[in-house]
Amino acid sequence: MKTRTDMKKIVASIAMVWGCLLTAQAQAPQKEVNRTVQMDTIEVNYKTRYISSFWDNFYIEADFAGRMLMGEDDASLSFGKRLKPGFSLTVGKWLHPDFGVRLNFGGSRLKGWNTGATGIYAYHDGWVDNFDPVQEYWNSKGVDTKNGYKQDMKYYELNADFLFDLYNIFTSNNRLDRRWTSQGYVGVGMLRTAKYHGMEDNVKVAFRLGVTGNYNITDRLGAHLTVGCALTGSSFDGELGKSDKFAGILNGSIGLSYRIGRQGYKVVRLVPKEQLAALNNAITLIRQEQIVPGDTIEVEQERMTVGSLLIPSVVFTPDKNEFNEELQMVNIFRIARYMMRYKDTKIAIVGNTGKTDQRLARNRAEKIRDILVNKYGIFPERMEIRTYDVNAKYGVTGYEQSVNFTVVE
């Protein structure tokens, strides 16, 4: 009887030791492995629309210009003698970050040269042969016109231009607020020479093109430099019958611009109906903690190891501390749900510094932390703010304008 009792004690002791070994093995620290885990990722293709009131995004400009006539015989005069001062005043409006319109009024003196014989100018109370009002003018001044004579003209122009942002053609980064900008323009203008020094009134239509460089001194005030030209018919300067060549005006100007009224746009991202329905379904499934077999959404139920990068991330508007709530709040909810599920987990909210300055990256991370605290009740002690290049650290791409999340001790 005593032997049986002793045997029971031995078996109990062995079981107790074995249980302790199993418990110790289960509690032994595991090797930590940094890895990336995919959680609830949905790809959405959307179109961005910029909306503003009719009275938004107006501006005015004033320019001092230098203009030079480019007619058929004008090369006979030197560059300096042909270059004359002028002015221009502009009212414009940006309809979109990529394009706008403007009305421009300007004027100038133009100098040219004519080597033609009498009769080359023929406009005087209708088209009359053998009459040259410019030569008549110079003859009255006692000037020998045998080898040609200078043209002295006054002209005015009224132009309508279409502007397009050259920077935004090549990149979508920082579309709305840059210190340096550059625009091209094309347009049409009405050129009118005044009755002056033998020239009669003459009206021509011109085709315009050019490029402008801008520097925004403040949010309202800017300085700019423009180089362009206007192309019109060869008879603009009164010369007739020589050829079918065009006449032109080469223009260079420097000036100031001032933005009037409210500036900026409301950014609306249009999601296709089928993708919007998929997003709504995804949110419903996540909230209900249900996953339909065969669904494309995958939820990671496993606790992440320290150092793991949690996906999804929150993608921000390039170079701004803003994000599209319709598309990104579901990603913040996923992180909140993960922390609710594992209540002892701590995370680092990482502002990605890849192609973003450190100050903006930190501000973005702090904004996400505040949402997790205020909206979902996550204790701030469970979160810390970090900034570094996520792409370089984890060997991933596409996170340049994002806030990411990693598990910490």
Side-chain angles (χ1 to χ4, degrees), residues 98 104 121 160-161 236 298 310 337 408:
D98 296 350
N104 170 271
Y121 285 82
D161 297 327
F236 166 70
E298 296 179 0
L310 299 177
R337 186 188 60 171
V408 297

Side-chain angles (χ1 to χ4, degrees), residues 98-267:
D98 296 350
F99 56 84
V101 292
R102 71 180 182 185
L103 289 176
N104 170 271
F105 173 76
S108 181
R109 295 280 295 276
L110 294 174
K111 289 287 187 178
W113 182 264
N114 177 40
T115 58
T118 300
I120 212 67
Y121 285 82
Y123 190 85
H124 180 72
D125 296 331
W127 298 106
V128 179
D129 293 335
N130 300 321
F131 180 82
D132 191 336
V134 177
Q135 186 167 345
E136 292 291 329
Y137 169 79
W138 287 115
N139 285 341
S140 68
K141 296 292 184 181
V143 178
D144 180 8
T145 61
K146 181 178 180 181
N147 295 318
Y149 47 80
K150 294 179 181 179
Q151 299 168 307
D152 191 2
M153 305 166 56
K154 285 184 178 180
Y155 94 102
Y156 305 95
E157 59 183 11
L158 180 62
N159 309 302
D161 297 327
F162 175 81
L163 308 171
F164 50 94
D165 193 296
L166 295 174
Y167 183 91
N168 288 346
I169 291 176
F170 300 103
T171 179
S172 60
N173 292 333
N174 198 14
R175 299 171 66 84
L176 303 178
D177 187 16
R178 298 189 303 272
R179 185 68 66 181
W180 289 96
T181 62
S182 180
Q183 293 96 35
Y185 70 86
V186 294
V188 294
M190 182 185 71
L191 308 180
R192 179 169 185 171
T193 56
K195 190 172 183 178
Y196 179 74
H197 282 194
M199 288 293 297
E200 293 289 330
D201 287 341
N202 191 9
V203 178
K204 291 292 181 183
V205 174
F207 171 74
R208 292 165 45 84
L209 58 89
V211 63
T212 299
N214 303 274
Y215 178 75
N216 295 318
I217 302 172
T218 68
D219 291 341
R220 295 284 181 179
L221 183 65
H224 58 270
L225 177 66
T226 300
V227 177
C229 66
L231 302 176
T232 187
S234 59
S235 60
F236 166 70
D237 56 3
E239 299 182 11
L240 303 175
K242 285 189 174 182
S243 69
D244 294 327
K245 292 181 179 180
F246 291 98
I249 300 173
L250 186 64
N251 172 73
S253 64
I254 186 171
L256 296 174
S257 62
Y258 188 80
R259 299 176 181 178
I260 302 173
R262 187 169 61 182
Q263 302 289 313
Y265 305 87
K266 179 180 179 181
V267 182

Side-chain angles (χ1 to χ4, degrees), residues 16 30 72 121 182 187 214 230 249 326 335-336 344 353 362 405:
M16 184 179 297
Q30 302 295 318
E72 293 165 305
Y121 285 82
S182 180
N214 303 274
I249 300 173
E326 183 179 15
I335 298 300
D344 59 341
T353 58
R362 173 168 289 276
F405 309 90

Side-chain angles (χ1 to χ4, degrees), residues 53 80 82 94 149 280 304-305 313 381 405:
S53 167
R82 278 189 291 164
W94 283 97
Y149 47 80
N280 291 331
M304 298 299 100
T305 58
S313 59
E381 295 80 11
F405 309 90

Side-chain angles (χ1 to χ4, degrees), residues 28-35 304-308 407-409:
Q30 302 295 318
K31 183 179 180 180
E32 295 179 355
V33 179
N34 291 345
R35 59 196 182 99
M304 298 299 100
T305 58
V306 173
S308 296
V407 179
V408 297
E409 295 182 355

Side-chain angles (χ1 to χ4, degrees), residues 11 78 101 139 247 283 302 313-314 362:
V11 171
S78 66
V101 292
N139 285 341
I283 294 172
E302 180 185 353
S313 59
V314 179
R362 173 168 289 276

